[in-house]
Amino acid sequence: MVGSIWAHEEYNGAKMPRIAHRGARYEGTALDLVDRALQLGATHQDILTLGDKTSEALLWENVFIHNGLYNPGMWQDPWRGANLYNGIKDGKVFLTFLQQIDCFNVHGWPDDPGMPTYLPDINDMGLSVMPQAVSFELTPQGKPVISGTRSVSTGGWWWGIPASCPNPQLAYEFARFITSKANQALECSKFGMIPVRKDILLKLPDVFSQGWVGDIFQDVG
């Protein structure tokens, strides 16, 4: 409903659809679409064979495109994460799906020139958990034929020490240093990473209590 309003009213001197997600042919877009299917209850086999649950996820995409709710730049240009950031900055995107690290990149930090904000107003960022997945088709009683979940898959980055490392002891000490409790808490609060240390992961609200940062990690918890 709100997407239709945004698409048909003039903002910043122009009318255009202002909902978007990644649309380039790469893993970021694939992960978004696979998440939708998994939320509807698709299995790995369903995804590989375009089973009913996967088709249902793609039906929603078709509905949004057919009704002019998605900004067409997402498939015309096509868009990756950085394009979504700039779409938010330019007022072309009002609503999108972001991972935690995306939220931190969009918000930025006033005291860090390496992470400038993409928001016209840095205080104007609303966050919400993923909506519950439901089928497009309804029962005669008006209920979704399929009621899914809010779950999404999780990716990440890892440090590793090569077997051919010229100084394995120094590399090990470096790995221990960057994964210390204090340093990992600082890294995660700066870039939105999900902690791997259990003493942080199990006490997220205690470690991350700074406004919107705390809200993000509270949702994870």
Side-chain angles (χ1 to χ4, degrees):
M1 183 181 299
V2 71
S4 181
I5 294 172
W6 289 338
H8 293 94
E9 292 192 358
E10 185 174 304
Y11 297 90
N12 305 319
K15 288 184 181 180
M16 66 179 68
R18 299 177 192 268
I19 299 177
H21 62 67
R22 289 168 171 82
R25 295 185 63 180
Y26 82 123
E27 63 275 10
T29 303
L31 183 60
D32 280 346
L33 296 176
V34 166
D35 278 343
R36 308 293 180 273
L38 293 175
Q39 288 167 343
L40 285 164
T43 65
H44 294 152
Q45 189 62 29
D46 291 329
I47 292 170
L48 293 174
T49 60
L50 293 180
D52 292 344
K53 303 292 178 61
T54 304
S55 298
E56 189 71 29
L58 297 177
L59 173 60
W60 274 110
E61 293 294 298
N62 184 276
V63 169
F64 270 61
I65 293 170
H66 180 75
N67 287 280
L69 305 181
Y70 277 151
N71 188 311
M74 59 186 269
W75 63 82
Q76 290 175 354
D77 290 334
W79 284 359
R80 294 177 175 241
N83 301 106
L84 290 175
Y85 304 166
N86 283 311
I88 293 171
K89 180 179 180 180
D90 298 336
K92 297 178 180 178
V93 176
F94 289 173
L95 176 66
T96 186
F97 299 96
L98 298 176
Q99 300 174 20
Q100 283 182 227
I101 193 170
D102 294 321
C103 293
F104 279 69
N105 285 332
V106 167
H107 184 275
W109 295 102
D111 59 344
D112 186 348
M115 286 187 69
T117 184
Y118 285 87
L119 297 168
D121 177 355
I122 198 170
N123 296 312
D124 185 25
M125 183 170 77
L127 301 172
S128 175
V129 295
M130 289 290 295
Q132 181 182 358
V134 295
S135 62
F136 185 73
E137 183 182 0
L138 302 177
T139 67
Q141 294 74 36
K143 303 293 184 181
V145 172
I146 303 171
S147 293
T149 68
R150 302 174 187 271
S151 302
V152 295
S153 53
T154 302
W157 294 264
W158 294 267
W159 289 89
I161 301 174
S164 59
C165 180
N167 194 332
Q169 182 60 36
L170 182 61
Y172 172 77
E173 291 174 3
F174 175 67
R176 294 289 295 180
F177 172 76
I178 62 176
T179 56
S180 67
K181 184 175 181 179
N183 286 334
Q184 183 164 128
L186 180 62
E187 178 186 26
C188 293
S189 65
K190 192 77 170 179
F191 299 108
M193 305 291 190
I194 297 175
V196 295
R197 288 185 62 104
K198 291 183 179 180
D199 54 357
I200 298 178
L201 190 61
L202 298 178
K203 297 182 179 180
L204 289 175
D206 297 336
V207 179
F208 306 108
S209 58
Q210 181 182 342
W212 64 275
V213 177
D215 292 342
I216 291 178
F217 283 102
Q218 185 175 12
D219 290 335
V220 173

